[in-house]
Amino acid sequence: MLRAGKNLKKTYPELMHVTCLAHGLNRVAETIKDLFPLSNRMMASVKAVFKKAPSRIVKYKDLHPNLALPPEPIQTRWGTWLVAADFYAEHFDAIKSVVDSLDKSDAASIKNAQNLLGMQSLRMNLCASVHKSVKEKLASVIDKNPDYQKLVKVSKVINGESSGVHGVNLRPDILAALKFCPITSVEVERSFSMEKAILTDRRHRFLMENLEKVVVCHYELSLSDDLIDLFEED
């Protein structure tokens, strides 16, 4: 991708190549995950304990009725591992009490979870500080983003925070067009997922004239989901 952007600049000198910042932040999150292998093993073991086990879930709810089940880290959902790690760090004693109350002879996952939760180093691992490694990784990701700093300078000019752009040779009309320049490719990838569901082999009678209507419906559905999330945050 970086090489492609570099080659395209030879043909289009005013081209600005900015890689997706959301992907960059996900790489930072993956770095944090790699720094906590013990915590990762523990969360996988506890997940297996309650997976398809209604009786264990009932016992969990009986012991801690006001506590939600531990969130499950999902590989394709960015940031879910960090959310789960924060939950385990905050409710470590409660989760440990539930797992310890289970019979380890019922399943190997219970035995593994009990052994991991009983390790003194696990709590320290969950609460360890890795700000230096995270800061270095984030700086590395941003430094490898070809024109991100240039786009930041353009943004300051558009917002009136700066009177000039040093090192950015762009015409005023191009600067104005960059006002709504996206810094992530998340929306594009969402469209890929929607199109994958639309252009499937199961649709043998799908008419092209209805394609626009279906795309609009998917787009409005995504907007409604964003509005719901916005109201929930408020």
Side-chain angles (χ1 to χ4, degrees):
M1 184 66 72
L2 294 176
R3 183 179 296 178
K6 186 176 181 180
N7 292 334
L8 284 172
K9 283 187 176 183
K10 297 177 181 178
T11 306
Y12 306 98
E14 295 180 339
L15 176 69
M16 294 181 64
H17 182 205
V18 180
T19 58
C20 179
L21 285 185
H23 282 81
L25 292 176
N26 181 57
R27 290 173 57 192
V28 176
E30 290 295 324
T31 300
I32 299 174
K33 177 182 176 181
D34 294 338
L35 294 173
F36 297 95
L38 187 60
S39 300
N40 193 34
R41 286 173 52 199
M42 180 272 295
M43 285 189 279
S45 298
V46 175
K47 176 182 176 180
V49 168
F50 296 104
K51 192 73 172 180
K52 297 181 180 179
S55 60
R56 298 171 193 165
I57 295 176
V58 170
K59 191 167 188 177
Y60 182 98
K61 290 296 184 182
D62 289 340
L63 293 175
H64 303 284
N66 298 323
L67 185 62
L69 285 171
E72 298 182 0
I74 303 173
Q75 186 70 25
T76 56
R77 296 286 183 179
W78 296 349
T80 54
W81 190 92
L82 296 178
V83 174
D86 184 65
F87 183 90
Y88 278 94
E90 184 177 356
H91 306 287
F92 182 84
D93 293 330
I95 297 172
K96 185 177 184 300
S97 65
V98 176
V99 175
D100 288 342
S101 66
L102 301 175
D103 187 0
K104 62 181 179 181
S105 62
D106 286 347
S109 59
I110 298 177
K111 183 178 180 180
N112 293 335
Q114 288 177 348
N115 292 336
L116 289 169
L117 289 169
M119 298 176 65
Q120 294 294 331
S121 57
L122 178 63
R123 187 188 293 269
M124 297 176 59
N125 190 253
L126 278 172
C127 301
S129 176
V130 292
H131 64 278
K132 183 178 180 180
S133 300
V134 173
K135 185 178 180 180
E136 291 176 352
K137 181 62 177 180
L138 181 60
S140 174
V141 169
I142 293 178
D143 289 341
K144 292 179 181 178
N145 202 333
D147 292 322
Y148 173 71
Q149 295 298 336
K150 186 184 295 185
L151 191 62
V152 171
K153 295 178 181 178
V154 171
S155 176
K156 289 182 179 180
V157 173
I158 294 175
N159 294 328
E161 300 176 12
S162 177
S163 58
V165 183
H166 302 287
V168 180
N169 299 319
L170 296 175
R171 301 195 311 270
D173 57 330
I174 296 180
L175 287 175
L178 290 174
K179 181 177 181 179
F180 301 103
C181 177
I183 58 174
T184 70
S185 60
V186 176
E187 294 295 335
V188 177
E189 296 195 13
R190 285 181 179 175
S191 67
F192 292 161
S193 300
M194 289 188 294
E195 291 168 3
K196 181 180 179 180
I198 295 173
L199 303 176
T200 175
D201 293 336
R202 296 181 179 180
R203 294 184 181 272
H204 298 290
R205 298 184 180 181
F206 191 82
L207 301 178
M208 292 303 296
E209 61 190 44
N210 294 328
L211 177 60
E212 182 179 357
K213 300 176 183 178
V214 174
V215 171
V216 170
C217 289
H218 278 284
Y219 177 73
E220 292 182 347
L221 181 62
S222 64
L223 285 181
S224 63
D225 292 339
D226 293 339
L227 288 175
I228 291 174
D229 294 339
L230 181 62
F231 284 124
E232 288 180 349
E233 291 178 359
D234 293 340

